[in-house]
Amino acid sequence: MFDWRTGVLIGGLACAGILLPLAEVRAESPCAAGLPPSKLTVFDAKSVIVEKTVSERELLEFQKSLRGHLGDRFLLADTPVHGGFVVEHRIVPGMGDPKSFCDAPSVVRIALGYGPRIIYMTPELARDECVRDALRAHEAEHSQMENDGLGSFIDDQTALLKALMTKLKTTPARSPDLAKAQFEAAGLPIIRDLERRLLVRKEELRQRVDHPTGLAKVANECGGRVGSFHDGHGQAI
């Protein structure tokens, strides 16, 4: 898995290894040719469902601060989209310029996907097995649809990631430390853009689950004890 707080990969996710070829760059660049190949590894971080029992006061605070489905005794918190990367730097002297350095990493690891999908509920609701199971099933439908589409989304980004990462390799710097910092700083916008596009995809998938008919069905489960859903702005959905 990937620790989003530290940006460290701590193992266990499915991945695909890809060798980055050298891209065409300006011939005068000292990092234009002769760099060793780098391996790009992309991890799909799939969401899991977590249940937390909280007091009514805590639930109210979460409902004020988190996005998701709000109910009388629960909050189905919207799962976040996360991306991160770790670089195993490898500094190579620039060709024809002893004052230039190229960062040609041995490995670039990217993780992209979702954080946990959390069900917050009061102790009273947690004891209602029927309602709890209905909420679990609704969240499982979201989670399965998002996770099933994550691999194909990442596959669709592979060619672009290869080209962008190769471009970072071929950009020279005036010191080894600057080469490392330059690579990582330039990589961050790439990750943020991946997150943005995955968030758009996630919204498309959400609408396939959160349509009026489906939400009404959940609300009527258990003799109507689930109750109506509301979004984070108090609007019925």
Side-chain angles (χ1 to χ4, degrees):
M1 60 183 293
F2 191 86
D3 188 329
W4 302 109
R5 295 167 297 177
T6 62
V8 175
L9 285 159
I10 52 180
L13 293 175
C15 62
I18 305 158
L19 288 182
L20 293 179
L22 291 177
E24 291 185 8
V25 296
R26 294 176 304 173
E28 66 269 19
S29 171
C31 300
L35 297 181
S38 300
K39 185 177 181 181
L40 172 64
T41 306
V42 184
F43 295 81
D44 57 340
K46 296 182 177 180
S47 69
V48 296
I49 298 174
V50 177
E51 298 178 15
K52 294 187 177 183
T53 302
V54 297
S55 68
E56 291 185 8
R57 181 183 60 81
E58 290 173 317
L59 179 63
L60 181 60
E61 291 302 314
F62 284 129
Q63 288 180 333
K64 290 178 180 178
S65 60
L66 299 177
R67 293 188 57 188
H69 293 339
L70 283 64
D72 183 35
R73 295 167 293 162
F74 65 85
L75 166 65
L76 309 182
D78 196 17
T79 181
V81 168
H82 286 305
F85 74 113
V86 176
V87 182
E88 292 185 13
H89 297 282
R90 178 174 51 191
I91 303 302
V92 178
M95 296 183 62
D97 184 352
K99 295 183 179 181
S100 290
F101 298 88
C102 317
D103 190 355
S106 54
V107 180
V108 177
R109 297 182 178 91
I110 294 176
L112 180 68
Y114 305 105
R117 183 175 285 277
I118 303 177
I119 304 175
Y120 295 96
M121 53 191 148
T122 64
E124 178 188 8
L125 186 145
R127 291 190 293 269
D128 191 329
E129 185 174 352
C130 181
V131 174
R132 193 174 68 243
D133 287 347
L135 297 179
R136 286 173 177 168
H138 180 76
E139 289 297 86
E141 190 174 357
H142 276 292
S143 186
Q144 181 175 348
M145 186 168 290
E146 291 170 356
N147 288 339
D148 287 350
L150 183 57
S152 60
F153 177 86
I154 289 175
D155 289 343
D156 290 344
Q157 315 308 314
T158 296
L160 176 62
L161 285 174
K162 288 166 63 177
L164 290 173
M165 289 297 173
T166 297
K167 184 176 181 181
L168 299 188
K169 288 177 59 174
T170 56
T171 304
R174 304 311 289 177
S175 75
D177 286 343
L178 282 176
K180 295 176 183 179
Q182 176 177 273
F183 193 101
E184 295 196 8
L188 283 175
I190 297 173
I191 301 301
R192 298 292 87 84
D193 185 62
L194 283 174
E195 290 176 332
R196 179 189 60 78
R197 284 185 279 132
L198 181 59
L199 190 61
V200 171
R201 177 60 175 162
K202 175 178 174 291
E203 178 62 17
E204 294 172 351
L205 295 174
R206 184 192 68 78
Q207 293 176 9
R208 297 183 188 179
V209 178
D210 290 343
H211 51 81
T213 302
L215 293 175
K217 181 179 182 297
V218 178
N220 290 324
E221 292 281 353
C222 310
R225 294 200 306 277
V226 174
S228 61
F229 287 69
H230 297 269
D231 66 16
H233 302 288
Q235 301 296 315
I237 56 176

